[in-house]
């Protein structure tokens, strides 16, 4: 069983928006975000609360088919943006998954109008596997650390 959570953070150092989305499956069995999630304006100092929100979204994620989904564009539904390109230009993305009894966070990068795995200068995926289920504080800190790494890489933080 694989459970996924999408974590998006506005590309800003302060007063940033975060969107945390649980997932299910679409009619043909592919992963898809549910029609609800959490939108917050927490800061780095709120790592425990960010972790709590992510763990909530993991708990809400399942492999059940999403029925009666709302037919609103992804960019409008969660981000109030006019296009998917605007979302990927304005938000960094981290995935969090529970797969084969492992809890893994992994960084993604802009790839056209979507996201693909982010690889470091050695060609390795930037990810972290927790040795056991993380606490909210551990998870929140690791996620914020990964977002900061990506923002430094992009030159947004000096």
């Amino acid at each position: 069983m694989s459970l996924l959570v999408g974590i998006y953070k506005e590309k800003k150092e302060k007063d940033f928006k975060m969107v945390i989305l649980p997932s299910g499956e679409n009619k043909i069995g592919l992963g898809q975000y549910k029609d609800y999630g959490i939108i917050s304006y927490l800061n780095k100092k709120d790592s425990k609360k960010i972790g709590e929100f992510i763990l909530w979204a993991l708990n809400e994620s399942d492999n059940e088919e999403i029925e009666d989904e709302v037919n609103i564009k992804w960019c409008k539904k969660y981000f109030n943006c006019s296009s998917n390109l605007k979302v990927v230009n304005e938000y960094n993305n981290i995935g969090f998954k529970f797969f084969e009894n492992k809890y893994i966070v992994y960084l993604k990068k802009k790839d056209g109008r979507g996201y693909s795995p982010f690889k470091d200068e050695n060609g390795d995926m930037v990810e972290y596997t927790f040795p056991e289920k993380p606490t909210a504080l551990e998870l929140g800190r690791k996620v914020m650390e990964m977002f900061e790494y990506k923002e430094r890489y992009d030159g947004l933080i000096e």
Side-chain angles (χ1 to χ4, degrees):
M1 178 166 73
S2 179
L3 302 176
L4 304 170
V5 174
I7 309 161
Y8 297 83
K9 180 190 167 292
E10 211 171 8
K11 294 179 181 179
K12 293 166 127 183
E13 193 172 349
K14 293 183 181 181
D15 301 323
F16 54 81
K17 177 178 172 180
M18 286 187 76
V19 178
I20 301 169
L21 304 171
S23 67
E25 291 185 355
N26 64 15
K27 288 180 172 55
I28 61 171
L30 298 175
Q32 176 179 323
Y33 293 131
K34 295 193 174 191
D35 289 330
Y36 59 91
I38 293 177
I39 297 172
S40 77
Y41 289 89
L42 298 172
N43 276 308
K44 180 182 175 183
K45 65 179 174 50
D46 301 311
S47 293
K48 183 176 179 187
K49 184 56 76 177
I50 291 167
E52 288 172 359
F53 287 161
I54 296 167
L55 290 172
W56 170 85
L58 182 67
N59 191 52
E60 290 291 309
S61 296
D62 54 40
N63 293 317
E64 301 293 318
E65 181 181 324
I66 297 170
E67 297 181 24
D68 303 323
E69 70 178 276
V70 177
N71 192 16
I72 298 172
K73 286 183 175 184
W74 175 80
C75 56
K76 284 271 189 204
K77 188 187 307 187
Y78 307 113
F79 303 94
N80 198 29
C81 289
S82 57
S83 71
N84 291 348
L85 182 58
K86 189 167 174 90
V87 173
V88 297
N89 283 337
E90 293 183 9
Y91 289 83
N92 280 318
N93 178 225
I94 288 179
F96 179 55
K97 67 182 174 183
F98 177 70
F99 180 67
E100 297 179 343
N101 290 322
K102 296 178 186 170
Y103 295 88
I104 304 167
V105 288
Y106 53 99
L107 190 55
K108 297 181 180 180
K109 67 174 181 167
K110 176 183 172 185
D111 188 3
R113 295 182 181 273
Y115 296 93
S116 65
F118 181 88
K119 296 183 179 176
D120 64 16
E121 55 278 349
N122 299 325
D124 298 322
M125 281 185 55
V126 176
E127 66 180 11
Y128 180 79
T129 302
F130 291 93
E132 57 190 29
K133 185 174 182 177
T135 66
L137 183 59
E138 290 170 328
L139 180 56
R141 282 183 177 161
K142 181 53 76 174
V143 164
M144 291 310 297
E145 179 184 304
M146 291 177 85
F147 276 130
E148 287 175 0
Y149 171 83
K150 177 69 167 66
E151 290 169 355
R152 273 193 304 279
Y153 180 87
D154 291 343
L156 297 175
I157 298 176
E158 297 301 321

